[in-house]
Amino acid sequence: MARKQQNPTQKKSAQQKSAPQRTAPRGTTEEVASGRAELVPDRDRPNAWTLLLDGTPQSHVDLDDPTRLSFEYQRRFGHLVDLAAAPRQPITALHLGGGALTLARYVAVTRPRSRQQVAEIDTALTEFVRRTLPLDRGWQLRVRGGDAREILARSPEAQADLVVADVFRGARTPAHCASVEFARLAARALRPEGRYAVNITDGGRLDFARGQVATLRAAFAEVALIADPVVLRGRRFGNLVLVAAQQPLPLEQLTRLIATDQHPGRMEHGPGLTDFQAGAVPVPDAGAGPSPAPPPGAFTP
């Protein structure tokens, strides 16, 4: 499960208002395997909610407008969804890590008839989310309870247009989902033209992020990194999005979309990414470790 950093910007794209119009009860809380899950109402939108786990923002969902992506890194994911195929064309997507299913809702609305599978190890959290923030029954969306890597390993070969990894245990990416072997499983699941996107968190010297760049480069021909410039300079702990593929990435289009964000990110690719990598080497299973724990107050509601 990812620790999210909130961003109030609204995602602008073609919308299909097919989401259910049921309002979650105020102050809903429940103990789940990941901790204490709580839904906090959005003060500015009557049918929008932030999911907290142990007091830390995990997901934001607007039931009236599922295309509204309020967290900065999820907007990066949304851009990749927008570039995955021609507008409104359905895709096949595999989400590793579910949370409140924010990105899966976005895909379902912007790309009707898409086939989606979500791996979420915390089945109690999934039940809580589906009960309080219900999904449209017409969406082809299946949530499977289980470990992300195990489900990825069982996924059909070369079937997915997009694989998205947002896998956290507490506030950290688990070691077994941060290795070359894991990246190669993601590459195996993708069609030849498919793309892989992963959310990680890091700060300071960014040693974990540099290692993840090297790790993805060992499994994919093309890799790019997107993050807030302040995070890239090591001045703030935060989210970084890595994008990988076996074919050239849509760098120009992605750069333009990132520039439309309220807090534009910086993308590193090619020689700039090599400089960022700074000699880091791919991380195998035997040497993998979890991402660093965030400092107190790094992610606040």
Side-chain angles (χ1 to χ4, degrees):
M1 304 298 295
R3 299 296 190 184
K4 276 77 171 183
Q5 183 171 15
Q6 196 164 12
N7 181 325
T9 308
Q10 179 175 350
K11 176 74 179 179
K12 297 179 180 179
S13 65
Q15 300 178 8
Q16 176 178 315
K17 298 295 184 70
S18 60
Q21 300 298 304
R22 171 180 158 191
T23 300
R26 178 176 295 276
T28 297
T29 61
E30 188 165 315
E31 293 296 326
V32 298
S34 304
R36 186 185 185 193
E38 180 182 6
L39 287 173
V40 177
D42 189 320
R43 290 176 295 181
D44 299 319
R45 301 180 71 85
N47 214 13
W49 307 85
T50 297
L51 172 67
L52 309 181
L53 278 178
D54 289 336
T56 300
Q58 288 281 322
S59 304
H60 182 276
V61 171
D62 188 337
L63 293 178
D64 291 335
D65 182 8
T67 69
R68 183 174 181 263
L69 302 178
S70 294
F71 293 160
E72 184 177 280
Y73 87 89
Q74 287 187 329
R75 287 176 58 80
R76 318 290 194 215
F77 282 164
H79 297 324
L80 292 168
V81 171
D82 294 344
L83 295 173
R88 309 289 293 174
Q89 180 177 325
I91 63 172
T92 299
L94 172 61
H95 306 265
L96 306 174
L101 308 173
T102 303
L103 190 68
R105 298 170 197 265
Y106 181 87
V107 172
V109 171
T110 61
R111 296 188 173 281
R113 302 180 308 284
S114 289
R115 298 178 63 185
Q116 301 188 78
Q117 183 173 199
V118 179
E120 173 53 62
I121 196 168
D122 191 338
T123 55
L125 176 63
T126 297
E127 292 174 4
F128 173 67
V129 167
R130 298 189 74 152
R131 183 176 69 250
T132 55
L133 303 174
L135 303 169
D136 189 308
R137 294 184 178 180
W139 293 344
Q140 298 182 53
L141 172 58
R142 180 184 180 189
V143 184
R144 297 181 62 183
D147 178 79
R149 179 157 172 171
E150 293 178 2
I151 291 175
L152 177 61
R154 296 197 302 268
S155 297
E157 184 174 352
Q159 293 297 307
D161 298 298
L162 183 65
V163 174
V164 179
D166 192 9
V167 185
F168 282 69
R169 180 177 295 153
R172 308 172 74 177
T173 301
H176 73 295
C177 295
S179 67
V180 172
E181 290 85 349
F182 183 84
R184 287 174 178 157
L185 287 174
R188 174 184 171 277
L190 288 166
R191 301 181 192 275
E193 67 279 9
R195 294 167 189 154
Y196 177 55
V198 55
N199 172 48
I200 62 173
T201 56
D202 202 357
R205 294 173 49 184
L206 299 171
D207 290 335
F208 182 78
R210 299 181 202 280
Q212 289 305 291
V213 168
T215 296
L216 290 194
R217 282 180 148 183
F220 292 92
E222 296 287 330
V223 178
L225 172 67
I226 308 166
D228 187 311
V230 177
V231 174
L232 286 175
R233 289 194 292 268
R235 296 181 180 177
R236 177 171 62 78
F237 193 96
N239 297 88
L240 303 95
V241 171
L242 288 158
V243 188
Q246 303 297 8
Q247 297 187 13
L249 293 165
L251 299 175
E252 291 185 8
Q253 301 98 312
L254 189 54
T255 299
R256 286 198 296 269
L257 289 172
I258 294 169
T260 67
D261 293 340
Q262 183 176 2
H263 301 288
R266 192 174 89 203
M267 182 165 63
E268 296 290 358
H269 178 264
L273 190 60
T274 299
D275 291 343
F276 174 85
Q277 185 178 333
V281 297
V283 181
D285 274 340
S291 63
F299 299 104
T300 56

